[in-house]
Amino acid sequence: MVKNIVILGSTGSIGRNALNVVERLKGRVKVFGLAAHSNWVLLKKQIKKFKPEQVVLIDHSAAARLKASLRRQRIKILSGWEGVQKIIAASEVNLVLSAITGAAGLPASFWAIESGKTLALANKESMVMAGEILVNLARRKKVKIIPVDSEHSAIFQALQCGRANEVKRIILTASGGPFYNRSVNELKKVTPHQALNHPTWQMGDKITIDSATLMNKALEVIEAHWFFNLKPAQIEVVIHPQSIIHSMVEFLDGSIIAQLSPPDMKIPIQFALTYPQRLNGANHQALFQKPLNLTFERPGASVLGGPALALAYEVLRRGGTAGAVLNAANEEAVKLFLQKKIALTDIVLLNKKILRRHRVVKNPTLPQIIEADEWARNELRVITGNRLSVNSKKQRR
């Protein structure tokens, strides 16, 4: 059966890779809809190639320009977040791939599950902010959430080899980014241009900076907790610079099952789109045609690794709105670094400061999670002198 899919964030890195996968699958997956923020020029090219029935641009002016340029073509063009909600809810859709960057992707994750669609989730922020709510909602709706992150896809695949109660621990691998084992003084001088030059992966700007600070791995620890219903003590991280082993599961009998492949996001994307089937995909035979060294180190050896990961376990210990606050602080801190307003080393320090100032709300509702997100962003702006709103809320929550 052909799957009708919607790709949210189609003009971003994950979205473009997903469309490459669709093209390679040759008719096994049909693009029903595409959604992007404002890049109407690239979206127009994607429309021409994949011929979706509906598209959305969140930016209303960009949507108007796309409509004007496609006036003679029969395609439904929607705009705004209400358009995203409509395209997700379309009865023809079987699967929604959410590749929206940041906290902005959270509502779409809810809409997909509420609509009874299989959710292929590349937006890790949804799980970090509201993992408990999403998982419980998916259980009630009998909806499958399939991870697209390479690490969580690796765990998801390895778990097929045993039962949940047979898992001793999981081991998330991290590349270490471009500055692993650098000194504090060296890290303080790192420029955004240098930080965006990742040694093994080609990714979007935000996730590349997160890789450099190891905050990406901190967020993935939280994500893994909710995806796989694991205790914090069952989740470990190792530095693996080659990025060949994408993560591992250790079972009670001592067996460790690992998923290996070159650092290519098309592999986990394809698995999410075709699950539970495996279809022909990329050919990586060359991986073992030359000597291959796989090395592992403890993340504590990194100036940033230990502190960043400590924040993940603090979030899991405190629960509630802590995840939303950490994620929001990190998003704002990364923006300030990319604008050259703070140093790379300031990111984790600011995240820690904001998290410690926050009064956690236990068992939060979605509005309370969004309120905590807004509080953290305003609080960080006040602290750094980059306050954007005269109405920023100074009180602790």
Side-chain angles (χ1 to χ4, degrees):
M1 185 183 84
V2 176
K3 286 184 181 178
N4 281 326
I5 69 169
V6 166
I7 299 176
L8 308 178
S10 69
T11 58
S13 175
I14 297 293
R16 296 194 305 272
N17 272 309
L19 287 171
N20 286 337
V21 169
V22 169
E23 188 174 15
R24 194 167 64 195
L25 290 174
K26 296 179 179 178
R28 302 296 292 270
V29 174
K30 168 77 168 63
V31 177
F32 174 84
L34 299 172
H37 185 268
S38 56
N39 191 346
W40 70 272
V41 175
L42 178 53
L43 183 59
K44 182 179 178 180
K45 293 178 181 177
Q46 293 174 345
I47 291 168
K48 183 178 180 181
K49 188 169 189 177
F50 294 95
K51 298 178 173 53
E53 295 186 31
Q54 299 183 18
V55 297
V56 183
L57 278 161
I58 294 168
D59 184 279
H60 294 287
S61 61
R65 296 181 74 176
L66 181 65
K67 285 181 180 179
S69 69
L70 295 175
R71 191 170 296 159
R72 297 183 180 181
Q73 294 191 31
R74 297 183 62 183
I75 181 171
K76 189 172 184 180
I77 301 173
L78 306 171
S79 65
W81 285 106
E82 61 274 18
V84 174
Q85 189 169 12
K86 287 179 181 177
I87 202 171
I88 288 172
S91 59
E92 297 92 336
V93 176
N94 308 117
L95 180 146
V96 175
L97 170 60
S98 178
I100 299 171
T101 301
L106 177 58
S109 297
F110 275 93
W111 296 333
I113 296 172
E114 283 281 9
S115 299
K117 317 297 185 185
T118 297
L119 175 61
L121 189 61
N123 176 256
K124 65 170 59 68
E125 293 84 358
S126 291
M127 279 293 192
V128 172
M129 296 173 70
E132 185 173 15
I133 297 175
L134 286 174
V135 168
N136 289 336
L137 179 62
R139 190 177 295 118
R140 290 198 304 272
K141 292 286 185 176
K142 298 181 180 180
V143 166
K144 195 83 173 175
I145 307 178
I146 303 173
V148 173
D149 267 351
S150 61
E151 297 83 357
H152 299 85
S153 176
I155 297 298
F156 184 65
Q157 294 180 58
L159 285 172
Q160 313 300 315
C161 297
R163 300 183 181 89
N165 62 1
E166 296 171 340
V167 175
K168 182 177 181 180
R169 62 173 177 157
I170 66 169
I171 302 135
L172 300 174
T173 56
S175 70
F179 312 117
Y180 188 69
N181 282 335
R182 297 282 186 93
S183 69
V184 174
N185 288 335
E186 288 176 306
L187 290 171
K188 285 180 179 178
K189 299 173 185 177
V190 166
T191 67
H193 176 74
Q194 292 171 321
L196 290 171
N197 186 23
H198 196 281
T200 52
W201 288 97
Q202 295 295 319
M203 306 177 288
D205 288 359
K206 198 271 183 178
I207 191 172
T208 304
I209 301 304
D210 282 349
S211 178
T213 62
L214 264 79
M215 277 304 304
N216 190 47
K217 209 53 50 180
L219 299 177
E220 288 175 5
V221 167
I222 302 167
E223 187 182 10
H225 167 72
W226 295 115
F227 254 128
F228 308 117
N229 190 29
L230 296 168
K231 298 175 183 177
Q234 291 178 286
I235 307 169
E236 296 185 25
V237 174
V238 296
I239 303 298
H240 172 52
Q242 296 82 18
S243 298
I244 298 298
I245 294 178
H246 298 294
S247 280
M248 300 169 269
V249 174
E250 181 179 354
F251 290 95
L252 294 174
D253 62 358
S255 296
I256 297 177
I257 308 297
Q259 187 263 335
L260 289 73
S261 72
D264 181 353
M265 278 305 300
K266 290 187 286 294
I267 295 172
I269 290 170
Q270 177 167 317
F271 186 76
L273 295 186
T274 64
Y275 178 82
Q277 290 182 295
R278 289 187 186 271
L279 302 177
N280 285 330
N283 187 341
H284 293 300
Q285 290 180 356
L287 182 64
F288 297 106
Q289 291 180 355
K290 58 184 178 179
L292 184 65
N293 293 316
L294 304 178
T295 62
F296 306 93
E297 296 180 51
R298 289 290 180 184
S302 165
V303 170
L304 297 174
L309 291 172
L311 295 179
Y313 292 100
E314 181 175 340
V315 164
L316 293 181
R317 185 173 65 254
R318 295 177 68 187
T321 49
V325 166
L326 177 63
N327 180 73
N330 185 60
E331 285 188 15
E332 292 302 313
V334 169
K335 288 177 187 176
L336 292 177
F337 170 69
L338 290 172
Q339 294 165 6
K340 301 182 180 180
K341 293 180 178 179
I342 62 172
L344 184 74
T345 50
D346 291 331
I347 295 175
V348 174
L349 293 174
L350 285 168
N351 292 345
K352 180 178 179 180
K353 184 175 288 188
I354 298 299
L355 186 59
R356 295 288 169 83
R357 289 185 176 206
H358 178 59
R359 293 175 183 170
V360 170
V361 177
K362 297 290 186 181
N363 303 311
T365 61
L366 181 57
Q368 287 173 318
I369 287 172
I370 293 172
E371 185 179 11
D373 172 278
E374 293 172 349
W375 172 85
R377 294 175 194 276
N378 281 324
E379 191 75 3
L380 187 137
R381 292 165 187 160
V382 170
I383 288 174
T384 59
N386 292 283
R387 188 174 175 184
L388 300 184
S389 170
V390 294
N391 296 318
S392 295
K393 298 177 182 178
K394 294 185 180 180
Q395 66 270 27
R396 296 183 183 183
R397 301 205 172 176

